[in-house]
């Protein structure tokens, strides 16, 4: 080193080093720079590794949550359209096998018209039968209910319950209910007016759903091919794979739910008619509708049937209804679900319970109905596209526990 170099001050030495590297190769300059500042090569030394990993996971999760919130917000702004498309997909999944069969003997457009007409007639016929049953049994039912309510009040007053309820207390509760209705009459009227508007929206959604179903059933394949042609060629296979897995799960779940609901309704009708419970047909239809809400729908409907049986025929009849409700539930869970659904909906019952609860809190009855098929489709698409590492079995976990215990003892 010369005297001139040794006379450089602290601020001048880096400049001298830079001058020495001026003629060096780019790779040498990067290496020299990395020695002074490790961050230039992407190495962050100011935070521990676990914190960097958690930070990376956190911002990715925030992006995913923001995307989900955006989807929910956009859906809420066009809720009527979303409901109509969902119902149209349900109609398509249920009626498509019938359309495929009829297409063998007639044009697909005509087969679609016949299938939709059959579905509409079946629905209208069921509702007509329910209305006729209610009208025919109303007079005798009112007498049975009056007698049954008297029996229930007598049981509450003189029965073996540890808590005695007097007739004066019951009358006071009834009066409190009347006072509440009088006090909140304006709110109830406004809610009724809002419900009338909701009825109009429901009919509008059904009309839009039928309109969409016509095109989904008649030209669904052509519409999907058109959509694929709008995508880049490199992503078409992925979209086709994901759509195939999603539609297989959604159609299987929808058709399976319809079959199970019909079977539950028929079994409930047979049981209620055999036990002489009034309004058997409307209660069976209520069970059928309740089957579309997983886990809780059909049992809740049958509880209503037990209340009707208790008021009309007494506690023994209500207990018999409850016993047969339990038997129908066991038949559905152990025979119908595995036989009809198979592996098309691979969701654990705990997951289904959580999803139904979250859907109910978010969007009421509608959320309870659509939450499970949506989550099932999302999980089917995810499992079809993901790449799994070799699975871990229970013996591997036991070996890890044994090694940890041995290390702790040593």
């Amino acid at each position: 080193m010369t005297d001139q170099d040794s006379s450089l001050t602290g601020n001048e030495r880096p400049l001298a080093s830079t001058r020495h590297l001026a003629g060096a190769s780019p790779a040498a300059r990067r290496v020299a720079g990395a020695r002074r500042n490790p961050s230039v090569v992407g190495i962050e030394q100011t935070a521990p590794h676990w914190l960097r990993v958690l930070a990376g996971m956190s911002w990715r999760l925030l992006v995913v949550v923001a995307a989900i919130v955006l989807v929910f917000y956009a859906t809420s702004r066009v809720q009527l359209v979303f409901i109509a498309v969902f119902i149209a997909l349900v109609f398509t999944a249920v009626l498509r096998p019938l359309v495929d069969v009829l297409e063998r003997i007639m044009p697909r457009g005509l087969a679609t018209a016949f299938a939709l007409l059959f579905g509409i007639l079946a629905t209208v016929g069921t509702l007509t039968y329910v209305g006729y049953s209610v009208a025919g049994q109303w007079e005798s039912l009112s007498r049975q209910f009056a007698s049954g309510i008297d029996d229930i009040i007598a049981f509450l007053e003189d029965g073996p319950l540890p808590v005695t309820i007097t007739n004066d207390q019951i009358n006071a509760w009834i009066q409190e209910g009347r006072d509440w209705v009088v006090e909140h009459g304006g709110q109830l009227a406004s809610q009724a007016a809002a419900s009338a508007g909701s009825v109009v929206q429901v009919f509008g959604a059904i009309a839009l759903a039928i309109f969409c179903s016509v095109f989904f059933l008649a030209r669904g394949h052509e519409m999907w091919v058109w959509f694929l042609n709008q995508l880049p060629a490199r992503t078409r296979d992925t979209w086709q794979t994901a759509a195939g897995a999603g539609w297989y799960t959604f159609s299987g779940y929808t058709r399976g739910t319809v079959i199970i609901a019909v079977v539950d309704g028929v079994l409930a009708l047979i049981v209620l008619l055999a036990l002489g419970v009034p309004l058997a047909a409307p209660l069976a239809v209520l069970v059928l509708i309740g089957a579309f809400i997983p886990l809780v729908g059909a049992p809740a409907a049958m509880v209503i049937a037990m209340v009707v049986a208790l008021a009309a025929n007494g506690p023994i009849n209500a207990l018999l209804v409850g016993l047969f409700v339990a038997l129908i539930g066991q038949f559905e869970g152990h025979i119908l679900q595995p036989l009809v659904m198979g592996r098309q909906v691979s969701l654990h019952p705990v997951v289904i319970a959580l999803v139904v609860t979250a859907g109910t809190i978010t969007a009421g009855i509608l959320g309870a109905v659509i939450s499970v098929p949506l989550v099932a489709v999302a999980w089917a698409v995810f499992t079809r596209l993901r790449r799994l590492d070799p699975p871990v079995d229970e013996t591997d976990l036991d070996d890890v526990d044994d090694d940890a215990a041995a290390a702790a003892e040593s």
Side-chain angles (χ1 to χ4, degrees):
M1 180 181 295
T2 63
D3 296 338
Q4 183 179 0
D5 292 335
S6 60
S7 64
L8 291 173
T9 61
N11 293 332
E12 293 172 335
R13 286 195 181 98
L15 297 176
S17 300
T18 304
R19 286 197 299 270
H20 287 305
L21 291 172
S25 64
R29 288 198 297 270
R30 285 196 298 269
V31 171
R35 289 177 184 151
R36 294 192 306 273
N37 186 8
S39 63
V40 299
V41 293
I43 302 175
E44 174 62 51
Q45 301 291 352
T46 59
H49 176 71
W50 63 267
L51 183 57
R52 297 197 301 270
V53 172
L54 287 179
M57 293 175 59
S58 298
W59 74 258
R60 288 176 174 86
L61 286 175
L62 288 175
V63 171
V64 173
V65 171
I68 295 175
V69 170
L70 180 61
V71 170
F72 273 93
Y73 176 77
T75 302
S76 65
R77 305 307 298 176
V78 290
Q79 186 175 5
L80 180 63
V81 177
F82 174 79
I83 295 172
V85 173
F86 182 84
I87 296 174
L89 292 175
V90 171
F91 288 166
T92 304
V94 174
L95 297 177
R96 184 176 178 181
L98 179 59
V99 173
D100 292 339
V101 171
L102 293 177
E103 189 184 13
R104 300 175 184 176
I105 58 176
M106 63 182 67
R108 190 168 184 86
L110 190 59
T112 300
F114 272 107
L116 287 173
L117 182 62
F118 171 77
I120 293 173
L121 289 178
T123 304
V124 173
T126 301
L127 295 178
T128 302
Y129 176 69
V130 170
Y132 178 78
S133 300
V134 172
Q137 300 180 28
W138 185 257
E139 222 178 288
S140 60
L141 181 64
S142 60
R143 293 195 301 268
Q144 286 178 315
F145 259 87
S147 176
I149 291 174
D150 292 338
D151 294 339
I152 294 174
I153 293 175
F155 177 79
L156 293 175
E157 290 180 344
D158 304 325
L161 295 177
V163 179
T164 302
I165 300 176
T166 63
N167 194 23
D168 294 336
Q169 290 176 324
I170 296 175
N171 292 331
W173 294 339
I174 294 174
Q175 186 61 40
E176 289 177 0
R178 291 175 179 172
D179 295 339
W180 184 89
V181 170
V182 172
E183 182 179 355
H184 298 82
Q187 297 179 3
L188 296 176
S190 61
Q191 291 178 0
S195 300
S198 300
V199 171
V200 175
Q201 292 182 354
V202 167
F203 280 106
I206 293 176
L208 181 59
I210 294 175
F211 179 79
C212 294
S213 300
V214 172
F215 290 94
F216 290 166
L217 289 169
R219 297 289 183 264
H221 182 71
E222 298 176 6
M223 295 170 67
W224 176 246
V225 171
W226 176 88
F227 175 76
L228 286 179
N229 289 332
Q230 312 309 310
L231 302 175
R234 65 181 182 275
T235 63
R236 291 173 185 171
D237 291 339
T238 302
W239 276 88
Q240 180 67 19
T241 301
W247 179 250
Y248 174 78
T249 299
F250 182 83
S251 59
Y253 175 84
T254 304
R255 288 195 289 265
T257 302
V258 170
I259 294 172
I260 291 173
V262 171
V263 173
D264 285 350
V266 171
L267 292 177
L269 179 63
I270 294 173
V271 169
L272 296 175
L273 288 176
L275 295 177
V277 178
L279 295 179
L283 291 174
V285 172
L286 187 62
V287 172
L288 187 149
I289 296 174
F292 287 92
I293 304 177
L295 296 181
V296 297
M302 293 304 291
V303 167
I304 297 176
M306 290 179 61
V307 173
V308 174
L310 176 65
N313 299 336
I316 302 299
N317 194 268
L319 289 176
L320 291 175
V321 171
L323 176 62
F324 281 105
V325 167
L327 293 177
I328 292 175
Q330 293 297 316
F331 174 73
E332 175 187 338
H334 293 86
I335 297 178
L336 279 182
Q337 288 279 359
L339 183 64
V340 175
M341 295 290 191
R343 296 183 177 273
Q344 290 175 317
V345 182
S346 55
L347 293 180
H348 195 276
V350 173
V351 176
I352 294 177
L354 294 175
V355 168
V356 171
T357 303
T360 305
I361 295 173
T362 304
I365 298 298
L366 177 64
V369 173
I370 69 175
S371 57
V372 173
L374 292 182
V375 172
V377 169
W379 179 250
V381 173
F382 172 74
T383 54
R384 186 67 180 86
L385 297 180
R386 67 177 174 175
R387 295 181 180 179
L388 286 177
D389 292 330
V392 177
D393 55 20
E394 295 182 0
T395 57
D396 295 334
L397 296 179
D398 294 338
D399 294 339
V400 172
D401 293 339
D402 294 339
D403 294 339
E409 291 176 357
S410 61

